[in-house]
Amino acid sequence: MKVAVIDINGKDTGRKAELSKDVFAIEPNNHAVYLDVKQYLANQRQGTHKSKERGEIAGSTRKIKKQKGTGTARAGSIKSGVFKGGGRMFGPRPRNYGFKLNKNVKRLARKSALSIKANEKSIVVLEDFNFDAPKTKNFVNVLKALEVENKKTLFVLGGSNNNVYLSSRNLKRSEVINSSELSTYKIMNANKVVLLEGALEGIESNLSK
C-alpha cells in the first residue's frame, strides 16, 4: 500500500512511501493485541503493596475470653482480622505482575496494531527532519501543520535525534521514540502515528522476521 509523504509544513512532497502489506495490512489479531498491552501495563506495576497480617501485628497473645459460656463466638487472639486493630486477612503481598509472552505473539500484536491504525487512516508518513537546537515551539509548529496539536500523537524516528526528542519532551500529548522502541501499547494509545521515512525500513525489518 502506498501513502503520500508530507513535509513538516503539512504539504505533499509528491512522493509516495510503500508500506509493506505484511506489516500494515494484515488481518488484526485482537487477542494478541490484548495480551501485549496487558503485559506492558503489568510491567509498569511496582508490586510493592503490603499489609500486615495477624502474625505481624504487635499485641498480646493472651486468649481474650474463655472458650465456652459467653454466648458469642469463640475467640483466641486479639490480633485476629475480625477485630478492630487486628491483621488484615488475605491482604496484598509484594509480587511481580509480569508474565511471559512469546516473541512471535508480540510481533503479531505490533503488526496488528499498525494494521488497525492504517485501516483507520491514522498513520502519517513524514519527511525526515531535524532542528538546529531543541525548541518546543518548533515542534508545536510541526504539530499544527499536521493538524494534530490536540491529539495524542506518536512520532517514530529512524534513529536517535536528540533535538527532536528534547523539543517534544515538554508536551503531554506527544511522544517521540525510535523505531526499535515501538510497542503495541504506544501504537494503540495514540490517535495519530507519525512515521518518519527513515523509520519505515527499521519497522518493516523488525516485524517481517
Side-chain angles (χ1 to χ4, degrees), residues 16 51 81 126 144 161 170:
K16 298 279 188 181
S51 64
L126 189 65
K144 288 180 179 178
N161 189 325
N170 205 30

Side-chain angles (χ1 to χ4, degrees), residues 98-117:
F99 60 92
K100 184 181 181 297
L101 206 57
N102 292 334
K103 287 183 180 179
N104 287 339
V105 175
K106 293 171 73 71
R107 192 178 296 122
L108 174 60
R110 290 198 295 273
K111 290 194 288 187
S112 297
L114 288 170
S115 297
I116 290 170
K117 291 298 179 182

Side-chain angles (χ1 to χ4, degrees), residues 93-146:
R93 294 178 175 180
R95 58 166 291 197
N96 177 16
Y97 283 90
F99 60 92
K100 184 181 181 297
L101 206 57
N102 292 334
K103 287 183 180 179
N104 287 339
V105 175
K106 293 171 73 71
R107 192 178 296 122
L108 174 60
R110 290 198 295 273
K111 290 194 288 187
S112 297
L114 288 170
S115 297
I116 290 170
K117 291 298 179 182
N119 192 46
E120 294 173 350
K121 309 295 184 186
S122 297
I123 289 182
V124 177
V125 178
L126 189 65
E127 188 177 40
D128 289 329
F129 70 96
N130 193 9
F131 297 139
D132 295 332
K135 199 171 182 66
T136 303
K137 187 176 181 180
N138 291 341
F139 196 83
V140 170
N141 290 336
V142 173
L143 295 177
K144 288 180 179 178
L146 300 178

